[in-house]
Amino acid sequence: MKVLLIGSGGREHAMAWKAAQSPKLTRLYAAPGNPGMAGLAECVPLRPEDHGAVVGFCREKGIDLVLIGPEAPLAAGLADDLRAAGFRVFGPSKDAAQIEASKVFAKHFMARHGIPTARYAVFQRYAEAARFVEAVDYPFVVKASGLAAGKGVILPVTKEEALAALEAVMVRREFGAAGGEVVIEERLSGPEVSLMAFCDGRRVAPMPPAQDHKRLLDGDQGPNTGGMGAYAPAPMCPPEMVDEIVETVLRPAVSGLRLERRPFVGVLYAGLMLTERGPQVLEFNCRFGDPETQAVLPLLEADLLEVTLACAEGRLDEVEIRWQGGAAVCVVLASAGYPAAPETGRPIRGLEALPEDVLCFHAGTKSVDGQIVTAGGRVLGLAAQAKTLGKAVEKVYQAVERVEFEGRQYRRDIAFSGLVTESRIETDFFSGPGHGIAD
Ligand code: AMP
Ligand code: GLY
């Protein structure tokens, strides 16, 4: 199979690493890719926004499958244009991607299909939103509706903060067009879990649940980031709870999207809060999570190309998705100044000295005269897999010490919340076949 992978981050490096293990693969192209992927894929300077150029490239190379990593090209309809030209694509259509690209769509969709989520209201006008905020007597959060690179959620503590947040989003448009509409929703509490599932338009096959660490600093302090590390499986979401979420969230979502004539093909990601009322959806994403993928794909025993091709061809019932026992963890190394204003261009040392059983996924790097330098906020994700989460954590942090660049920031407590309940995963947690569920 000749495969084109769209994207350039740590998630896509992990996808390339896993795809490259497939005996089916004859050629892997990454557009645009990154220096870490260069040994696995031929990096091509295609711009994903130029759909005509991507289609032309697929024709010229005879591409058998296109894997789309990030949300932006999905929301822009790249999958639609590729499918219209006859190519097989792993990634949802523009209409199906609305589940992530429009929080208003997602909330109304969940309401229509009885999917558990926080109570909410939608506003297009500042004055009305402000009046609502003055009136409600429960804690709430404010969300810009459109794609805002993970920054569109504000958790105000006081009414004054809430009004200031609404003004920033709706009047000053600090998140651009994403702030044309806002969702104000009830504030929930509980541990957060990311449950991703392979989908073929009518079936879902859940992956081991993962936990992201969104805040910059240890103990969940500091500003929100794209994600500072992740691990899987998350023991606070044991297999019975995965089954519950499949039944109450993933299955209704996939069948609802199909009923509404926007069948979902790709990875459906449910961001959940495990509340006293049970699991509630905070958000859906229409793609693999970053950095969750860097901790989940190392546990996938099945052939990623076989699984993604089966999704693209609507026959997920024909593949056995096997997962390894044990656990995996990914720790992100970020630049000084991240997330506000990352410093870049710093040489990275120690990459050659990493142990063989530690994975190093590039996210924001660049090769300058043969030297790898930092080129973004999140620079690298180091990942390790082991029989227990404790051993995976030990292994990854030993490796973290070996990689250096000026101003390097990382969290020292990735996966610690999972270690507290380690006993749950020592015992063959979530190993065995993935349960594909036919509708
Ligand atoms: P989202 O992009 O919608 O997942 O929101 C980003 C982060 O904001 C989540 O990971 C949560 O930590 C927090 N968040 C979002 N919605 C809520 C909510 N209804 N209650 C409490 N926290 C929330
Ligand atoms: N890790 C959160 C996300 O991928 O959106």
Side-chain angles (χ1 to χ4, degrees):
M1 275 169 76
K2 291 185 195 157
V3 176
L4 171 64
L5 170 62
I6 304 285
S8 64
R11 162 185 51 211
E12 288 79 20
H13 188 173
M15 292 166 76
W17 165 78
K18 194 66 204 170
Q21 293 171 6
S22 171
K24 292 188 164 53
L25 186 72
T26 50
R27 202 75 200 257
L28 181 61
Y29 299 94
N34 70 38
M37 289 152 82
L40 304 164
E42 184 181 327
C43 296
V44 289
L46 270 177
R47 290 187 323 115
E49 307 86 75
D50 188 347
H51 298 188
V54 176
V55 168
F57 179 86
C58 291
R59 285 211 179 98
E60 182 195 323
K61 302 291 184 189
I63 295 294
D64 298 296
L65 177 66
V66 184
L67 307 174
I68 303 180
E71 63 277 17
L74 294 165
L78 180 58
D80 307 66
D81 289 340
L82 283 162
R83 286 195 185 102
F87 294 101
R88 283 174 289 201
V89 185
F90 181 74
S93 66
K94 179 178 180 166
D95 285 348
Q98 285 296 298
I99 196 126
E100 170 169 2
S102 165
K103 289 198 190 282
V104 170
F105 172 81
K107 292 298 285 191
H108 290 331
F109 174 82
M110 285 188 264
R112 282 198 292 280
H113 296 282
I115 296 171
T117 190
R119 288 183 291 171
Y120 72 103
V122 174
F123 298 95
Q124 278 102 11
R125 288 203 195 84
Y126 170 77
E128 280 159 24
R131 214 173 308 135
F132 180 84
V133 161
E134 296 285 2
V136 294
D137 57 359
Y138 53 83
F140 56 86
V141 308
V142 175
K143 301 183 174 186
S145 179
L147 289 180
K151 294 185 199 126
V153 176
I154 298 163
L155 309 172
V157 174
T158 61
K159 290 218 159 139
E160 291 66 42
E161 273 174 39
L163 293 173
L166 286 175
E167 206 184 302
V169 174
M170 302 188 86
V171 182
R172 293 203 304 279
R173 293 293 173 98
E174 287 186 5
F175 304 112
E181 266 184 322
V182 299
V183 173
I184 298 182
E185 71 177 35
E186 177 192 6
R187 187 161 182 165
L188 304 172
S189 62
E192 285 182 49
V193 166
S194 311
L195 187 63
M196 303 188 280
F198 291 106
C199 304
D200 71 350
R202 54 198 308 168
R203 300 173 191 87
V204 299
M207 305 184 204
Q211 201 168 40
D212 187 8
H213 298 64
K214 289 209 165 96
R215 302 292 200 92
L216 180 70
L217 305 173
D218 285 5
D220 294 329
Q221 302 297 309
N224 254 321
T225 70
M228 295 299 290
Y231 69 96
M236 56 289 291
C237 187
E240 318 81 79
M241 197 183 283
V242 171
D243 288 343
E244 180 190 342
I245 298 166
V246 168
E247 291 311 317
T248 59
V249 173
L250 292 174
R251 203 131 77 112
V254 167
S255 69
L257 286 166
R258 193 171 131 73
L259 268 168
E260 296 185 14
R261 297 180 192 284
R262 22 181 127 209
F264 191 98
V265 173
V267 174
L268 183 61
Y269 165 133
L272 302 146
M273 200 165 251
L274 308 180
T275 73
E276 279 170 6
R277 278 185 281 168
Q280 303 268 325
V281 177
L282 296 181
E283 64 165 346
F284 280 115
N285 290 326
C286 66
R287 36 119 193 131
F288 274 119
D290 191 340
E292 287 93 332
T293 304
Q294 294 90 308
V296 169
L297 286 185
L299 298 174
L300 180 64
E301 216 168 86
D303 177 337
L304 181 66
L305 291 187
E306 200 178 304
V307 177
T308 51
L309 183 67
C311 290
E313 293 180 338
R315 43 176 193 80
L316 193 52
D317 53 333
E318 289 175 19
V319 289
E320 247 268 305
I321 305 173
R322 292 199 69 86
W323 296 94
Q324 292 179 28
V329 56
C330 170
V331 175
V332 169
L333 305 187
S335 296
Y338 178 70
E343 291 172 13
T344 57
R346 305 288 188 269
I348 304 172
R349 290 174 299 272
L351 290 176
E352 334 66 50
L354 285 173
E356 274 196 3
D357 57 352
V358 169
L359 298 160
C360 175
F361 297 123
H362 289 225
T365 68
K366 195 162 81 172
S367 177
V368 178
D369 304 326
Q371 164 74 53
I372 303 290
V373 304
T374 64
R378 292 190 291 175
V379 176
L380 298 166
L382 297 185
Q385 193 234 328
K387 286 221 168 62
T388 66
L389 184 58
K391 293 204 180 81
V393 166
E394 209 177 294
K395 210 151 90 168
V396 84
Y397 276 107
Q398 275 168 13
V400 163
E401 294 303 320
R402 300 190 187 188
V403 178
E404 282 181 53
F405 53 88
E406 200 186 314
R408 174 192 68 162
Q409 311 188 66
Y410 65 89
R411 276 181 65 159
R412 279 140 179 97
D413 65 348
I414 301 298
F416 283 20
S417 48
L419 290 175
V420 178
T421 24
E422 169 110 24
S423 58
R424 292 302 305 263
I425 57 166
E426 296 267 15
T427 53
D428 208 16
F429 186 98
F430 217 88
S431 66
H435 29 156
I437 290 152
D439 63 4

